[in-house]
Each structure stands twice: as structure tokens, then as C-alpha cells.
Amino acid sequence: MNRPHAKVTLTIASAALLTSGALAGCSQSDAAAAKKYPTWQNSEVNAVSRITTGAGVAATTSMKPDGTLETVALDEETGRKLWSTPATMTGRLPGMGVQPPAIVDAGSSQTVVAAIDPVKQGQWNATLVTRDAHTGRQKWTRPVHSTFGPQQCGPYICLSEHTALSTARLVVLDPLTGKTIWRLPGIAEVEWSDPNRVVLLRLASHPVLEAHDMKTGKSLWQLPVEQALGEGVNMSGGWSFGSTGTTLVGYVAPYTDTRTKKTSPFGLFSVRLTDGVLEWMRPSVVRVYPSGNPALSPVVRPVDQQGQYGGFARLNGESGRVVGQITAAQVPGTGWWLAFPPKMETLGFLKHSAPGTAFNMINGEPADVKGAKGWSFCVTDPQPLKLTGVSPGFYSIAALCEFDLATGKRMDSADTPPTWFTGSQSGWRIWRDEKGGLHAIKDGTTTSPGMYG
């Protein structure tokens, strides 16, 4: 079985994938303050996974002081904790990050939260439990041997199960009863869905994107990932996807075989959701971090056949075209981290406690760093979570902080992180700070994917 996601690494030139995505905020902070948008924060949690939302509820996986995990549900309007219950992971790979709960709107004003509880039953290592999203009242359970965790797929719950066994499969479950609607052999992950269709990434020696009818499981189209990026694709380096509404944009990171020293094909590509037709391809580029979702202003670096990095380019997620770039000769040596302002119009090279440099991402010309601010990772040497009863190697979702590019010093500001990082769902942006606390603002930002999804 392939190891799907690489360890999070904050060396920006790296192609390693950060965990698939947390919702969060934009940097319309001045306007937000002026208009008094609804906000809240909750420091009672230590969120280590993405945040999922639905039907007025936000849910996350939180780590307790003793290293155990719990599923926490919050009221989306106030941030007040609605309920919590113990959680665990079994069979999930560390590079995938901590799994978030799945929130599914089952219709008729019924919404459920699905999560993996540490309840063992004979040969089963844990239990999938669904609860009423608002009250936490249990609805049904399903024993689990190993899984990557539940996901929302249209009006259903998708669950990869038996992932550590040769009998691995994906099951599509009714959120109110647990009844199996349909199933597929092998390991698969949901990359996009609506009430009628779901697009899955089927993980195998030759990975495939597949669209299925939501109710029947009938295959609608298939696209081998190798058709987009070349033979020998290996998902062990990591991947991420995002949707523009009509297309699905995917990124596959490079993976270097330790035995052969050969690097697998990698890059970005776009697939039309209606029929699986390739819209555009950008092979041999690595996604850089922090930056926007692959479908929304991705920033990449080309890599040649000798493994040498080129400059930086910002792409249009709809067309794949370059909308701004700088050359390799303009990149200022080493020892920097990327930093972007709210609109990503400037590419900043941040040096901690030292003057940085910046470039205009439209014309590629040098930009003045005096008074320039940029958002970058709060911590550049993250430590793995000290989890109890779970395989080591998991990291929490990374947080962003604001820095002064002229001095390289962190700014003591309460600004909301940019939309390209946080994304937005139904006008709400929710994000994690570096201590695991959650913050939210309802500024009406159009629904869009953040860096993590």
C-alpha cells in the first residue's frame, strides 16, 4: 500500500504536502473591524485537524493534555462547545495528518457528525460512531479494523475501511441508518462531491480519478493520473485537490525512491468535472507553502531533470496559465521562508529577525519591503504531536502569523489570516492559531477553498 502523504516540511522549496485542509480567515481585517463582523474565539480546544462545518456546526479533532484525542463540536455562530467525545486513529498514515470528523447534512433538518471512537470490539480496533451534530446523541455505530477516516460525500458518509488489509474497500453509508448504499474494492479518497456525483482518487500502483453516481455507484468517467503527469506516478510524496466549480485541480508531489534514487512524475493538472477531460497540465512543478489552494492561485516552482529549482510562478487555477513570475536568478540565496500579503500580489522572502526581500508577482520587479507585511508559518521547525495510543509522526495543522518583511520580526497583530489560507464556507472563516485555539469571523466572503482544502 502506498503511503499517500509526505511528512509536513516547512522548507518552502520542498514538495512535501501539508495535510489536506483547515477552514479559516481572510485579511480584510481593517474592513472587518470597521464593519463589526461577528467573531468568536475558543481557547478551550487544541484543534490538531482541519475544521469541518455544516448546518451551523463546526467540528474538529482536538488533542487533550494527556495526549488523547477527542471529537469536538462547536456552535458555528458563537464558538460555544456543544459536545465532545473521545476519538482515535487506527490505520491512518502519519503523513496524512490527524483526521477531522465528517459532517453530513442528511436532509429533513437532520445533520450528523461521524468520527472514529476508541471503542474496541473483538477483532475490531475502533468504532465509527455517528451522532446528532447539535446534541451529540448517538445514532448508529460500525466496527472498524483500520481506516483513513470518514468523509462527507454528497448526502452520504464515505469510509475507507480495512486499509491495512488486502480486503481494503470504500463503503458509502446512509448517514441516518448506517446502511451500505454501495461499495468499491481498494483504497479511495473523496476529492469532490455534490448531491449527485462523487469524484474519488483510487490509490493503487496506477492511481485513477473516478467519478461515480452518488446514489448507485455507477462509474461515470475515469482518468488515470499517469495520463496527466506521465508513467510511474507514485502518490507516496503526497497530493492535494481543489475545485474551481467546474473543474478539479490536482497536485501530486514528487517521490524519490530510496532504492533507485529515481523521482516519480509530479505536477499540477486540471480535470473537467462533467466528463473527466483534461483541461490543462503543468508537469514537473512543485507546489510551495504557504500558498493558495491548487484551484485558487497556486504558486509553484519548476524543477528540471537534474533536480534544480527554477524561479517562482503564480498560476491561474482556471486555465493553468502563468499570471506572475520571477526568475531563478532573482531568488535570494537560502535561509528564507515565503510570506504573502492578503491578495498574494507580492512574493516575500522572509528572514527571521533580518531584512527580507520582495517581488511584485505581476511584473516580477523588486518591491520595497519598507512597511510591507506578509503572512508565513508561525513555526518553521514543527514538532510531532505527542499522541497517546497512536502511531508517532502526526503533526497538527500549521498556523500562519504576520511578519514585517523589513525586519523579519513577527508582528503583534490581531489581523485575520488571509482568505487564500483559510478559505470560506457559507460566509464563515474559521482557523486555528498556533496554540490550537479556534477563531472565526463571519465576513460574508464567497465560499472558496483554503490552503488545506
Side-chain angles (χ1 to χ4, degrees):
M1 180 179 71
N2 286 337
R3 179 177 182 270
H5 290 238
K7 168 187 170 183
V8 175
T9 176
L10 298 182
T11 301
I12 304 303
S14 166
L17 174 70
L18 281 92
T19 323
S20 144
L23 301 175
C26 138
S27 232
Q28 301 166 334
S29 52
D30 294 338
K35 293 189 178 182
K36 303 293 185 184
Y37 289 122
T39 63
W40 56 257
Q41 67 180 60
N42 187 319
S43 58
E44 297 177 10
V45 298
N46 179 15
V48 291
S49 79
R50 289 192 301 113
I51 298 94
T52 53
T53 61
V57 173
T60 187
T61 303
S62 176
M63 188 178 78
K64 299 169 72 174
D66 64 359
T68 60
L69 297 173
E70 63 177 350
T71 300
V72 179
L74 306 175
D75 181 275
E76 190 176 41
E77 291 287 332
T78 65
R80 177 178 59 88
K81 182 188 288 188
L82 298 174
W83 53 269
S84 62
T85 187
T88 192
M89 295 182 287
T90 176
R92 188 170 173 91
L93 305 176
M96 299 180 76
V98 177
Q99 67 200 22
I103 298 182
V104 180
D105 184 350
S108 303
S109 300
Q110 298 186 82
T111 302
V112 302
V113 173
I116 304 299
D117 283 25
V119 179
K120 298 185 178 183
Q121 305 175 48
Q123 63 176 324
W124 307 102
N125 297 319
T127 304
L128 171 70
V129 181
T130 60
R131 296 177 171 88
D132 180 273
H134 294 273
T135 67
R137 182 175 58 85
Q138 183 174 304
K139 288 189 170 292
W140 54 267
T141 66
R142 182 185 181 93
V144 169
H145 174 274
S146 47
T147 180
F148 289 169
Q151 294 181 279
Q152 180 261 337
C153 52
Y156 302 125
I157 295 170
C158 282
L159 180 74
S160 58
E161 58 180 11
H162 305 330
T163 52
L165 304 174
S166 59
T167 54
R169 62 188 182 183
L170 178 93
V171 290
V172 181
L173 308 171
D174 184 294
L176 296 179
T177 65
K179 176 185 175 183
T180 300
I181 307 299
W182 49 274
R183 68 185 67 184
L184 284 175
I187 298 174
E189 181 179 83
V190 176
E191 304 303 348
W192 178 89
S193 71
D194 68 8
N196 302 308
R197 294 171 299 153
V198 60
V199 177
L200 303 170
L201 174 63
R202 302 193 68 179
L203 301 170
S205 56
H206 299 283
V208 176
L209 275 178
E210 284 185 356
H212 292 262
D213 180 89
M214 199 73 260
K215 294 182 179 179
T216 66
K218 178 184 176 182
S219 179
L220 302 176
W221 55 258
Q222 293 183 327
L223 176 74
V225 176
E226 290 177 322
Q227 186 176 325
L229 299 177
E231 289 188 22
V233 166
N234 189 322
M235 306 304 290
S236 300
W239 69 84
S240 56
F241 284 84
S243 172
T244 66
T246 58
T247 61
L248 186 68
V249 181
Y251 169 65
V252 176
Y255 175 74
T256 302
D257 188 294
T258 55
R259 182 177 56 85
T260 65
K261 307 302 181 184
K262 290 185 177 180
T263 300
S264 61
F266 56 94
L268 282 161
F269 63 98
S270 174
V271 182
R272 201 158 60 200
L273 284 168
T274 53
D275 53 15
V277 170
L278 274 171
E279 293 275 78
W280 55 264
M281 297 164 282
R282 282 276 176 183
S284 300
V285 297
V286 295
R287 182 186 174 197
V288 300
Y289 301 93
S291 66
N293 184 274
L296 191 71
S297 300
V299 179
V300 299
R301 295 191 78 178
V303 184
D304 65 23
Q305 292 184 343
Q306 286 71 45
Q308 298 298 309
Y309 286 93
F312 287 81
R314 178 176 168 181
L315 307 180
N316 179 298
E318 293 272 1
S319 65
R321 292 174 180 167
V322 173
V323 294
Q325 62 184 325
I326 68 168
T327 66
Q330 292 172 290
V331 178
T334 60
W336 45 259
W337 292 265
L338 291 188
F340 289 98
K343 295 182 181 179
M344 296 183 72
E345 71 274 18
T346 302
L347 172 65
F349 293 92
L350 170 71
K351 290 199 172 186
H352 287 185
S353 298
T357 52
F359 295 88
N360 183 300
M361 277 302 286
I362 301 301
N363 58 27
E365 294 296 322
D368 188 1
V369 296
K370 185 178 181 180
K373 298 183 290 186
W375 289 86
S376 190
F377 291 112
C378 302
V379 177
T380 51
D381 58 345
Q383 300 301 307
L385 297 169
K386 296 180 180 179
L387 297 174
T388 301
V390 175
S391 300
F394 285 90
Y395 289 75
S396 63
I397 288 289
L400 287 197
C401 292
E402 197 168 22
F403 292 85
D404 182 337
L405 284 174
T407 64
K409 293 183 178 180
R410 181 170 161 178
M411 301 187 68
D412 185 18
S413 70
D415 285 356
T416 302
T419 305
W420 56 259
F421 174 72
T422 66
S424 180
Q425 290 292 323
S426 303
W428 275 102
R429 296 185 301 124
I430 306 175
W431 66 97
R432 172 192 186 274
D433 64 32
E434 59 183 315
K435 294 182 180 179
L438 294 181
H439 303 252
I441 184 170
K442 188 177 185 180
D443 59 5
T445 305
T446 302
T447 294
S448 62
M451 188 175 87
Y452 296 111

